[in-house]
Amino acid sequence: MSADYAHPEVLVSADWVTEHLNDPKVRVVESDEDVLLYDMGHVPGAVKIDWQGDLQDQLVRDYIGAEKFATICSRAGIAPDTTVVFYGDKSNWWACYAFWAFKLFGHKDCRILNGGRKLWLDQKRPTTTEVPRYKPTDYKVAGADEAAIRIFRDDVLAHMKAGKPLIDVRSPKEFTGETLHMEDYPQEGALRGGHIPGAKSVPWSRAVNEDGTFKSASELKALYEGEVGLKPTDDVVAYCRIGERSSLTWFVLTYLLGYPKVRNYDGSWTEWGNLVRMPIARGE
Amino acid sequence: MTESETAVSTTLDEIAAELSEADKQERIELLIDFARSLPPLPERLEALKDPDHKVHECQSPVYLFVELEGDRVQLYGDVPIEAPTVRGFVSILVEGLNGTTVPEVLGLRSDIIQRLGLLEILGMQRLNGLNGVLHYLKSKVARAAAGAGASSA
């Protein structure tokens, strides 16, 4: 089923996870939008790593440093050679975000449970509320992958000026700039609505099926190459509101389609839409 | 006494005290209990789940209904269990605000989210949706009150 993906080994099935539940070389990590879900029941043996409370710095808008990352991994019983399988709610948005953050620190073997939390529960697979304890590891951060997968605003501006492909993965109304103008709703944290000029709108959700699994390689190719016109050799930047949904698109382009140069702009719209004099396009 | 100084319902205060005195893990479990105990919508409202009763700010499908019985507010909510944080928050509002008056609901300050101790377990970025629920609730109560005033005039 997944054999036609560029890197099929990065996507694991619920059966695979079931077979490896007691494998000491495998650690299952739940990462959700809704922080209560893990405590309501999770994959047996899985640990919770929260994108906000654990992986983000609590003062500066950035990720934690290498030392803290090593502490989190050690506490979760993750060694540098552990296979880490991420899963979560919302078709694995946050699982992909945690996956991406682990790659920032150069963790080698990261995978995604296809279908995430929803499919696991829909298939009535076992869950537990028991929080496991693992023997701490001596985790050494490999690092050095950041420049390959993360991009900052000045480079995004240069990327835009060079006319290179930008993919906006937010909802169509966020893309056109309409959502900041709806009555009665608090703002989403940006002062201006719209998108980065030249960006193409491909909502993240178009890459997944109803059941939370990823679409097939041929469907993904038809979307990103047929419809949007990307080429596998392109230098692609993806963004959304804070970089969470775009990490799913980053995952799809990098691992399922095998594009060698895809970066996630995690500053995303909450940075771009607030910066003075940044170019913005409105409408479709 | 001005509207903004109106005492908030004691039930909501009691819930806030219970939550804020609990440690982080207990607070998570209390919120899960609230999420699990949200009463189902009465059948007559189930049929009215339309865009007008939906809180659009939330990523999850959240429906809120406000009814007035005399000067007392009656709240009903519907949130999927897959979004336990919002469901728990709505459940707290339903339990804490049912039977209070319109000025009491309108006078509720948005720091209630902090007073419930939710910031520590949710983090800043997850509070947007909850603020959206509160904002929506107040505008619904204000509209219901204005409607009631108009029909009795």
Side-chain angles (χ1 to χ4, degrees):
Chain A
M1 142 208 119
S2 60
D4 49 351
Y5 291 133
H7 302 284
E9 72 287 354
V10 172
L11 206 54
V12 298
S13 68
D15 282 341
W16 188 94
V17 168
T18 302
E19 285 159 25
H20 290 84
L21 283 181
N22 296 310
D23 185 340
K25 285 285 174 207
V26 174
R27 182 72 60 245
V28 181
V29 171
E30 176 155 347
S31 194
D32 295 314
E33 170 165 297
D34 197 308
V35 76
L36 300 188
L37 287 171
Y38 174 86
D39 296 278
M40 293 176 77
H42 50 81
V43 173
V47 296
K48 169 165 80 171
I49 294 185
D50 186 39
W51 57 278
Q52 198 179 140
D54 292 322
L55 296 175
Q56 289 187 342
D57 189 275
Q58 298 302 302
L59 183 62
V60 176
R61 182 175 173 187
D62 199 357
Y63 295 88
I64 50 173
E67 205 177 309
K68 269 195 181 155
F69 181 74
T71 307
I72 284 173
C73 288
S74 171
R75 194 182 65 202
I78 295 170
D81 62 348
T82 302
T83 297
V84 182
V85 180
F86 298 91
Y87 79 102
D89 61 350
K90 304 270 172 186
S91 310
N92 281 326
W93 281 6
W94 308 97
C96 288
Y97 190 82
F99 179 115
W100 180 74
F102 266 61
K103 286 293 179 190
L104 288 178
F105 295 100
H107 189 85
K108 214 167 158 201
D109 191 354
C110 299
R111 310 191 189 196
I112 294 283
L113 165 58
N114 201 10
R117 183 180 168 92
K118 183 181 184 310
L119 194 70
W120 187 271
L121 294 182
D122 285 352
Q123 292 179 344
K124 310 241 181 301
R125 289 180 186 261
T127 60
T128 177
T129 53
E130 202 178 308
V131 177
R133 293 201 178 278
Y134 294 106
K135 194 168 168 280
T137 63
D138 181 22
Y139 194 91
K140 295 265 188 306
V141 173
D145 265 3
E146 182 175 281
I149 62 173
R150 187 182 192 193
I151 185 168
F152 296 94
R153 62 176 181 269
D154 292 345
D155 292 330
V156 176
L157 190 62
H159 187 92
M160 179 207 92
K161 285 179 177 162
K164 292 180 183 172
L166 276 153
I167 303 294
D168 185 317
V169 315
R170 297 173 300 160
S171 60
K173 280 186 177 173
E174 289 173 280
F175 180 81
T176 58
E178 200 183 322
T179 41
L180 292 181
H181 288 263
M182 283 169 81
E183 281 177 31
D184 280 351
Y185 301 111
Q187 296 232 355
E188 282 232 286
L191 290 172
R192 290 290 185 269
H195 55 268
I196 301 176
K200 296 205 169 130
S201 169
V202 189
W204 69 274
S205 56
R206 297 193 63 194
V208 297
N209 297 308
E210 278 282 299
D211 65 359
T213 57
F214 289 99
K215 289 198 172 154
S216 69
S218 56
E219 287 171 311
L220 294 171
K221 267 187 198 141
L223 172 63
Y224 293 104
E225 293 169 16
E227 205 176 303
V228 184
L230 289 183
K231 291 187 294 297
T233 50
D234 278 341
D235 174 3
V236 186
V237 169
Y239 73 93
C240 59
R241 193 173 68 88
I242 56 170
E244 87 290 16
R245 288 170 284 181
S246 47
S247 56
L248 184 138
T249 301
W250 166 84
F251 174 82
V252 167
L253 293 176
T254 303
Y255 294 96
L256 304 187
L257 291 181
Y259 288 21
K261 194 163 189 193
V262 184
R263 284 172 292 172
N264 184 19
Y265 171 37
D266 60 292
S268 273
W269 198 255
T270 49
E271 176 172 76
W272 195 278
N274 282 319
L275 285 170
V276 175
R277 283 192 172 163
M278 274 311 212
I280 290 178
R282 269 270 162 86
E284 289 169 18
Chain B
M1 201 151 80
T2 63
E3 198 171 273
S4 61
E5 285 166 351
T6 308
V8 207
S9 94
T10 50
T11 314
L12 193 58
D13 282 338
E14 280 165 22
I15 295 171
E18 188 187 4
L19 275 162
S20 57
E21 282 159 19
D23 69 26
K24 220 171 143 182
Q25 190 54 38
E26 288 168 351
R27 212 176 291 169
I28 286 175
E29 274 149 30
L30 281 168
L31 200 52
I32 290 173
D33 288 344
F34 274 107
R36 290 205 165 110
S37 64
L38 177 70
L41 276 187
E43 239 168 79
R44 64 192 161 81
L45 295 180
E46 192 63 41
L48 296 175
K49 278 163 66 175
D50 56 25
D52 191 42
H53 293 97
K54 193 171 176 202
V55 186
H56 293 265
E57 174 68 14
C58 281
Q59 298 278 3
S60 322
V62 175
Y63 294 91
L64 281 180
F65 296 87
V66 171
E67 290 179 346
L68 291 183
E69 285 169 16
D71 66 342
R72 301 283 154 174
V73 174
Q74 202 62 41
L75 302 177
Y76 303 93
D78 185 70
V79 188
I81 193 68
E82 289 77 20
T85 297
V86 186
R87 190 176 156 97
F89 182 60
V90 166
S91 176
I92 287 171
L93 293 177
V94 166
E95 188 175 323
L97 293 175
N98 265 349
T100 59
T101 64
V102 171
E104 279 175 325
V105 176
L106 297 182
L108 185 63
R109 296 206 318 265
S110 56
D111 72 353
I112 184 63
I113 294 169
Q114 274 85 331
R115 287 206 291 125
L116 290 165
L118 299 185
L119 177 63
E120 290 88 344
I121 54 172
L122 302 180
M124 275 311 273
Q125 294 175 62
R126 287 191 174 101
L127 296 185
N128 257 357
L130 303 190
N131 274 315
V133 168
L134 205 56
H135 187 85
Y136 176 93
L137 171 68
K138 285 191 193 178
S139 71
K140 275 282 169 193
V141 169
R143 267 207 274 168
S151 59
S152 65

